Amino acid sequence: MNQPTKFEKQLFADIVKLIEESKQQLAQTANSTLTYLYWRVGKRVNEDFLAEKRAAYGQRIIATLSDGLVQRYGNNFSEKNLRRMMQFASVFSDEQIVVSAIRQLSWTHFIALIPLKSELQREFYLELCKAEAWNVKTLRDKINSMLYERTAISKQPDELIKQELQALREENKMSPDLIFRDPYPLDFLNLKDTYSERHLEDAILRELERFILELGQGFSFVERQKRMIIDGEDFKLDLLFYHRKLKRLIAVELKLGRFKAAYKGQMELYLRWLERYEMEEGENTPLGLILCAEGNHEQVELLQLDRVGIKVSEYLTQLPSKKLLKEKLHQAIEVSKKHIENKLKQEDKS
C-alpha cells in the first residue's frame, strides 16, 4: 500500500476536522432541541395542573402519563423526570430566557439551577454560566462555594442587581461587582498557622492557576512585585493582573491581619501610577483589590473606596463550616443592602 503524500495527509486532516465540527454542532443542536422539548412538556403539564387543582388527580395523571411515555420513548420521561420538567417550566417561566440559554446550557445545567430559591441567584448563575462557558461540574462547584453570596453584586439592592444582570445578558457587559468576591477561600495554599505576607505571596505564585480560577475567568497574570519609582523612591506592588472583560489592570495587595485606613492611600498611589505609565489605549482605569485576613467594615464603608476603584476582601486560609459561612455572608449582604438603600434615599431627598 502506497504511503499517503503530504497533500493527502493534509486533505484527510481537513476532512476529519470538518466531520468533528459537524458532529459537535449536531450534538449541540440535539441538546438544545431536547431541553426546549422538556420545557414545553413541563409547561403543558403545568397548565393541566392549574385547571385541575385536586392533589389526588395530580398524582394519578403524572403516574399515568409517565407510564405511557416511558413505554413509547424510554426512561427520560419517568415520573421523576416529568416532575423536573414541571419545575423547569415553573421556575423558568419566561420562554425567551430559556430559548436564549439553551444554545449554551444543557438540561443538566438547568437541573443544577432549579433548586435555587432566589430568582436573582438563578439569574446570576445562568448569566455567568453563559458568559464564562462553565461546564456542569463548574456550575455546581460555584453554587456550592456560594459564589453569588460572595460576589459584590449580592450586596446591592435588588433593582441594581437586575440592571447589572440585564446589561450582562443584553450587552455582554461585565461590571466589577460581578467580578470581585468577598471572602476568597485560599485553603488550597496550605499555609501554616504563622506566615508572612511574603509566604502568602509565594504560596499564591506556586498555586497561581488555582488562585486565578478562584479570582474568576478573564484574569491574566502580569507581574509579581511590580516596581514603581515615585519621587526617587522604590515602591513594589505585590501582584498585577489584567482582566479581559473589564479591560483593566487589576492591582492586588496582600495584607496580614485587619484592614487599615492607611492601605487606601497606598493603593490609590499605585493605581494612579499604573494609570499614568502602564495603561494602554482602549483600556479602562485600573482597579485595586486589597486582600486582608480580616475586614474592618465600618472603615471600608466610611472611606468610600468604590469611588476610587478599590475593593477590599477577606481571604480564608481555612474554610469554616458551610453553615457558619452561609450565616456570615447573609448577614453581610443584609447590612450592605440596608446601607446602600439608606444612602439612595438620602440622595433622593437632597
Side-chain angles (χ1 to χ4, degrees), residues 124 128 151 153 164-165 168 173-180:
F124 168 85
L128 264 290
T151 307
I153 194 175
E164 295 211 14
L165 291 175
L168 176 59
K173 184 180 177 183
M174 189 81 75
S175 74
D177 281 348
L178 286 165
I179 301 295
F180 291 103

Side-chain angles (χ1 to χ4, degrees), residues 109-127:
H109 281 102
F110 284 105
I111 289 174
L113 292 169
I114 287 170
L116 295 173
K117 294 179 181 178
S118 162
E119 182 182 346
L120 288 174
Q121 263 185 310
R122 286 194 298 271
E123 191 175 349
F124 168 85
Y125 287 112
L126 177 74
E127 296 305 330

Side-chain angles (χ1 to χ4, degrees), residues 30-31 39 73 94 109 119 164-165 192 196 214 260 265 308 311 336:
N31 169 69
W39 184 86
Y73 299 109
D94 189 328
H109 281 102
E119 182 182 346
E164 295 211 14
L165 291 175
K192 297 179 180 178
S196 66
E214 182 53 43
K260 296 178 182 177
V308 290
K311 300 284 185 181
S336 296

Side-chain angles (χ1 to χ4, degrees), residues 226-314:
K226 174 68 178 177
R227 188 183 180 204
M228 308 175 188
I229 302 174
I230 305 171
D231 291 331
E233 186 179 349
D234 263 5
F235 293 86
K236 288 184 179 178
L237 170 68
D238 290 335
L239 300 168
L240 183 61
F241 291 86
Y242 182 78
H243 195 278
R244 292 175 60 197
K245 289 273 188 182
L246 295 179
K247 295 183 179 178
R248 299 174 188 257
L249 288 166
I250 310 291
V252 179
E253 273 290 289
L254 308 170
K255 302 295 183 183
L256 301 182
R258 298 173 73 88
F259 171 80
K260 296 178 182 177
Y263 298 159
K264 176 191 176 186
Q266 180 188 25
M267 179 57 84
E268 273 194 285
L269 182 67
Y270 293 165
L271 292 178
R272 300 295 73 81
W273 188 93
L274 290 169
E275 185 178 354
R276 176 176 292 183
Y277 296 109
E278 293 289 325
M279 203 170 88
E280 299 283 348
E281 187 177 349
E283 291 181 357
N284 296 311
T285 54
L287 294 176
L289 172 62
I290 302 173
L291 280 175
C292 302
E294 294 181 69
N296 278 330
H297 299 292
E298 190 172 3
Q299 287 188 33
V300 172
E301 182 184 310
L302 290 170
L303 289 169
Q304 299 182 329
L305 298 178
D306 280 347
R307 293 189 176 184
V308 290
I310 298 174
K311 300 284 185 181
V312 176
S313 297
E314 295 181 17

